Amino acid sequence: MYHSEKMLREKGIKVTPQRAAILDVLRDTREHPGVEVIYQRVKKQFPSISLATVYKTVELFVRSNLIQELCLTGDVSRYDARVESHPHVACMNCGKVEDIDNFDMEYIIEPAEQATGYKILKEEIMYFGYCGDCKGVMDN
Amino acid sequence: MYHSEKMLREKGIKVTPQRAAILDVLRDTREHPGVEVIYQRVKKQFPSISLATVYKTVELFVRSNLIQELCLTGDVSRYDARVESHPHVACMNCGKVEDIDNFDMEYIIEPAEQATGYKILKEEIMYFGYCGDCKGVMDN
DNA sequence: ATATAACTGAAAAACATTATTAATTAGTTT
DNA sequence: AAACTAATTAATAATGTTTTTCAGTTATAT
């Protein structure tokens, strides 16, 4: 069950069972679920939870840097409990989103600051293509 | 006024004044406008145009690779008539989105295919930070 | 234990996007 | 050039997502 409660306390967020359950769900998957999927999972434990609570909670978690929000064209926002910056790849056929680990990202911030004059805080790299399962199917 | 009509014809898209005007708007700006902004601009020329037409048209243009769609967390979809892959930077204060030119991207696809086993078709790189105008203001 | 400020659940509201439909138009055929 | 046909448009309704509101409840500090 992880130490989600402790994580909330460390961020100065008031601990409620709903919040801990939502954070548990996100820490317990690599699927990058959207709000609706999170809602369905937390509901198993808290049948009376409201979708609005899930919306409010993920927004709070993003603000507190407990999770990060991923943006996919033509899809709902999806959430990832791994907050360190890392690229993702989305399958254009089945819609799954996976982490890409062991990518050194530091080198990519500095040249962008040089080129733009911006103070850059974070970046989001999203690849789009066909996953191992779908790429054969798409050959038809 | 560019050659937007010719571009539509080359893609086998039926040419209408509304479509040419929408493509003109996108080719005439580097602001990466969303649907509502495009609508307001085309309205100056076609006061009776419908927002639904703008939605359908940008969707058609994206499918035809005349424009690309950009995804920003917590914002509407935005559109860019420069379809070659290039990174963008968004100001977290004023919301503006700029192109980053002269970035060599090729090297970034291959290692991702190796790491994931995906057939990758495109990628989207979005930096988030504070632009030259806003970064001073944010120091307060 | 009590107080209080914050949180939850439910519903309504706001907002963004898509679907429907009758009238119009573009591009083709005659 | 007129007629034909299929596609497009504008308007509106419908849908889907996210945010707001608010009364009742709960977590934390005292």
Side-chain angles (χ1 to χ4, degrees), chain A residues 59-72:
Chain A
E59 197 226 323
L60 170 68
F61 287 179
V62 170
R63 272 202 325 267
S64 309
N65 200 40
L66 279 168
I67 64 176
Q68 64 172 307
E69 186 173 0
L70 304 182
C71 194
L72 289 118

Side-chain angles (χ1 to χ4, degrees), chain B residues 1-10 23-24 27:
Chain B
M1 202 42 108
Y2 308 107
H3 46 292
S4 294
E5 292 195 16
K6 190 175 159 225
M7 293 177 71
L8 293 172
R9 244 178 276 278
E10 280 167 2
L23 191 50
D24 283 344
R27 289 166 55 73

Side-chain angles (χ1 to χ4, degrees), chain B residues 56 58-67:
Chain B
K56 274 182 284 202
V58 297
E59 197 226 325
L60 171 68
F61 287 178
V62 170
R63 272 201 326 268
S64 308
N65 200 38
L66 279 168
I67 64 176

Side-chain angles (χ1 to χ4, degrees), chain A residues 7-14 19 23 56-69 81 83 122:
Chain A
M7 291 178 71
L8 294 172
R9 243 179 277 277
E10 280 167 2
K11 292 283 183 182
I13 294 172
K14 192 187 272 195
R19 286 175 173 175
L23 191 50
K56 278 181 279 201
T57 302
V58 296
E59 197 226 323
L60 170 68
F61 287 179
V62 170
R63 272 202 325 267
S64 309
N65 200 40
L66 279 168
I67 64 176
Q68 64 172 307
E69 186 173 0
V83 289
K122 61 177 177 181

Side-chain angles (χ1 to χ4, degrees), chain A residues 103-116:
Chain A
F103 242 65
D104 181 22
M105 313 283 295
E106 274 318 306
Y107 72 92
I108 210 158
I109 295 249
E110 239 238 311
E113 291 198 326
Q114 299 288 326
T116 61

